[in-house]
Amino acid sequence: MSNSFQLVVIGGGAAGMMCAVTAAERGISVCMLEPNRLLGRKVRITGKGRCNVTNNCDVKQFMENIPDDGRFLYSALNRLSPRDTMEFFESRGLKLKTERGNRVFPVSDNANDVAGFFTRLCDRLGVKIKHCKALDILAENGEITGVKTEDGVISCRAAVICTGGMSYPLTGSTGDGYKFAEKFGHTVIPARPSLVPLESSDSYCSEMQGFSLRNVTLSAYENDKLIYKELGEMMFTHFGVTGPLVLSASSHMRNMGKAKYTLKIDLKPALDEKKLDARILRDFEKYSNKEFKNALGELAGRTMIPVIIRLSGIPEDQKVNTISHEQRMGLLKLFKEFPVHISGTRPIDEAIVTAGGVNTKEVNPRTMESKLVSGLYLAGEVLNLDAYTGGYNLQIAWSTGFVAGKSVLKDEIE
């Protein structure tokens, strides 16, 4: 078997799979290196195993969901927009659906179908998949000549680094791509977790471990400035908080360790303060002769009641009919602004996405080719690109992988 290919794609994740099939459709001989037994290991666990493929929005809306400077992506998104991505999948047999927040999923609700879709495409297009690890990228006179693997050297004229970031290391995202890029003089912005559970110094979080909140509004503050607000779900854990709202909020926290971060949870977002006060008064009337601790059963979950009592400052054995207006207002504020003080993020290996990576200033945004070495391309999470939750991060992988696959060896092939 030949150990020579025109292109070697390092990494069989979202960007790598898209890059490989796009290049193969152009008639390029492609070898993809993926140490895992299955392609798309991380794709298979995204979106709680459902795979949020993209977000059904236009490029302008998309750019608003990139927290840092997203201008690097403008060209790639115009070549493969979210709508183009949906067309790519559907025209090749993978049916999609759009849900709340314009999130796009496979109709089957099974992330394995997305990875399986690419596996079949690779097979049909003759992409050679080698289940081994890349050890080094070889170059002579500023041009790529091969990739050294555990099984020997594969000669090639171009290589694409699609190794992912540092999140989910069990899926193979161990930061190898950063080392390959640094070898050629690329600057790597230190990786940090994004879309990650948050730790809290508040002991009551661990007291409520496993308790979920649905249809609450979470507001996140940097110092005293509101940086995020959204309705949805979250959960208390032994270390702090997690869940969709928390992961989204975390990606707005760009100065952890320097700034002070606080979450405030509106436990009753459907009720304004006037309506909530009327509701509390109604319950207090109903339980007027009971102790305070026995009057909250219809207002809060059982797990949360002891914490609410403690934070309200109202003695648990105080009779409801003796609770003052001031005490009631304090309780109302607690229901509208339940506080969680953030002390840090969980480790990077628990993050869904890595922020940081290869500096995009050193990569051509129209081709994804390195500006420092000819024939070296980079796509996906290895680049210093990340976005908020909702299908945006996978779209970055699809778009950058697509552009690399379309651009590689362009002068020679066309």
Side-chain angles (χ1 to χ4, degrees):
M1 188 183 353
S2 166
N3 234 21
S4 177
F5 294 84
Q6 289 170 296
L7 172 66
V8 174
V9 177
I10 305 169
M17 293 187 297
M18 179 62 89
C19 178
V21 301
T22 304
E25 283 182 341
R26 294 172 53 222
I28 291 172
S29 63
V30 182
C31 176
M32 181 156 52
L33 302 178
E34 174 47 66
N36 288 308
R37 188 175 57 84
L38 295 171
L39 292 183
R41 180 96 183 266
K42 190 172 168 186
V43 167
R44 293 172 191 270
I45 59 173
T46 59
K48 296 181 182 171
R50 294 175 63 217
C51 190
N52 185 181
V53 175
T54 185
N55 193 284
N56 190 356
C57 66
D58 60 29
V59 172
K60 183 174 179 290
Q61 289 168 301
F62 192 99
M63 300 293 270
E64 289 166 4
N65 283 277
I66 300 167
D68 289 332
D69 183 4
R71 279 178 299 182
F72 174 84
L73 281 168
Y74 194 76
S75 177
L77 286 167
N78 275 293
R79 289 185 69 184
L80 188 81
S81 69
R83 306 262 160 82
D84 296 332
T85 301
M86 292 170 70
E87 167 66 17
F88 174 88
F89 284 113
E90 297 214 300
S91 66
R92 291 164 177 79
L94 186 73
K95 296 298 170 208
L96 304 173
K97 60 179 176 178
T98 301
E99 295 188 0
R100 186 172 60 85
N102 289 330
R103 288 167 161 83
V104 179
F105 294 90
V107 167
S108 65
D109 282 330
N110 190 340
N112 288 309
D113 291 348
V114 179
F117 165 91
F118 278 107
T119 304
R120 287 190 301 278
L121 261 184
C122 285
D123 188 49
R124 196 161 77 230
L125 292 164
V127 174
K128 174 66 183 170
I129 298 162
K130 293 196 176 192
H131 294 289
C132 63
K133 193 175 166 68
L135 302 176
D136 196 7
I137 299 173
L138 310 176
E140 285 176 22
N141 304 319
E143 294 185 356
I144 298 301
T145 58
V147 176
K148 185 182 177 185
T149 77
E150 296 168 313
D151 298 343
V153 173
I154 302 168
S155 66
C156 61
R157 296 211 298 285
V160 189
I161 302 173
C162 300
T163 49
M166 297 280 281
S167 54
Y168 286 138
L170 293 176
T171 66
S173 299
T174 53
D176 286 352
Y178 302 148
K179 293 176 210 150
F180 297 149
E182 280 179 322
K183 171 192 164 175
F184 292 109
H186 277 286
T187 310
V188 175
I189 289 144
R192 56 184 171 73
S194 182
L195 299 184
V196 66
L198 295 169
E199 295 183 347
S200 173
S201 53
D202 299 325
S203 61
Y204 48 77
C205 287
S206 59
E207 283 177 49
M208 296 187 285
Q209 178 181 345
F211 181 63
S212 291
L213 296 172
R214 295 177 193 282
N215 298 317
V216 296
T217 296
L218 182 71
S219 299
Y221 293 85
E222 181 174 291
N223 299 324
D224 294 319
K225 183 188 170 196
L226 180 69
I227 54 169
Y228 171 82
K229 186 174 182 179
E230 192 66 59
L231 175 79
E233 301 172 20
M234 60 176 290
M235 184 173 79
F236 292 100
T237 69
H238 66 284
F239 56 75
V241 283
T242 189
L245 286 178
V246 174
L247 299 179
S248 294
S250 75
S251 64
H252 294 253
M253 297 178 177
R254 317 299 278 189
N255 299 303
M256 195 65 75
K258 297 175 194 158
K260 184 181 82 171
Y261 290 103
T262 312
L263 303 178
K264 289 183 180 173
I265 310 165
D266 185 345
L267 298 165
K268 304 289 179 186
L271 303 175
D272 61 24
E273 290 196 7
K274 194 176 175 186
K275 285 179 182 166
L276 179 57
D277 190 32
R279 168 74 202 277
I280 292 170
L281 277 169
R282 207 162 57 240
D283 279 27
F284 278 11
E285 217 169 285
K286 188 174 176 182
Y287 301 107
S288 62
N289 294 316
K290 302 251 185 199
E291 294 179 340
F292 178 51
K293 66 182 176 187
N294 296 318
L296 295 171
E298 293 174 39
L299 281 165
R302 196 160 46 89
T303 311
M304 206 173 195
I305 288 172
V307 176
I308 284 179
I309 290 170
R310 198 160 75 246
L311 294 183
S312 74
I314 302 171
E316 62 170 29
D317 56 358
Q318 183 173 341
K319 284 279 193 285
V320 170
N321 57 19
T322 68
I323 289 174
S324 68
H325 176 267
E326 191 182 356
Q327 286 175 311
R328 196 176 79 244
M329 288 300 104
L331 178 65
L332 186 147
K333 186 167 191 261
L334 194 54
F335 274 110
K336 297 300 281 182
E337 296 182 2
F338 186 92
V340 177
H341 302 93
I342 300 306
S343 55
T345 67
R346 291 299 283 167
I348 198 163
D349 58 6
E350 291 182 34
I352 294 176
V353 167
T354 307
V358 176
N359 192 333
T360 54
K361 289 187 172 71
E362 300 161 359
V363 178
N364 185 331
R366 289 183 176 81
T367 62
M368 298 299 140
E369 187 174 19
S370 163
K371 292 178 180 177
L372 308 184
V373 59
S374 179
L376 180 68
Y377 294 75
L378 304 100
E381 208 181 332
V382 72
L383 293 164
N384 180 30
L385 297 168
D386 69 293
Y388 301 142
T389 185
Y392 303 104
N393 286 288
L394 263 182
Q395 181 62 50
I396 290 173
W398 306 135
S399 292
T400 55
F402 176 83
V403 167
K406 280 285 189 193
S407 306
V408 70
L409 302 174
K410 196 167 176 57
D411 294 342
E412 298 179 34
I413 305 297
E414 290 151 21

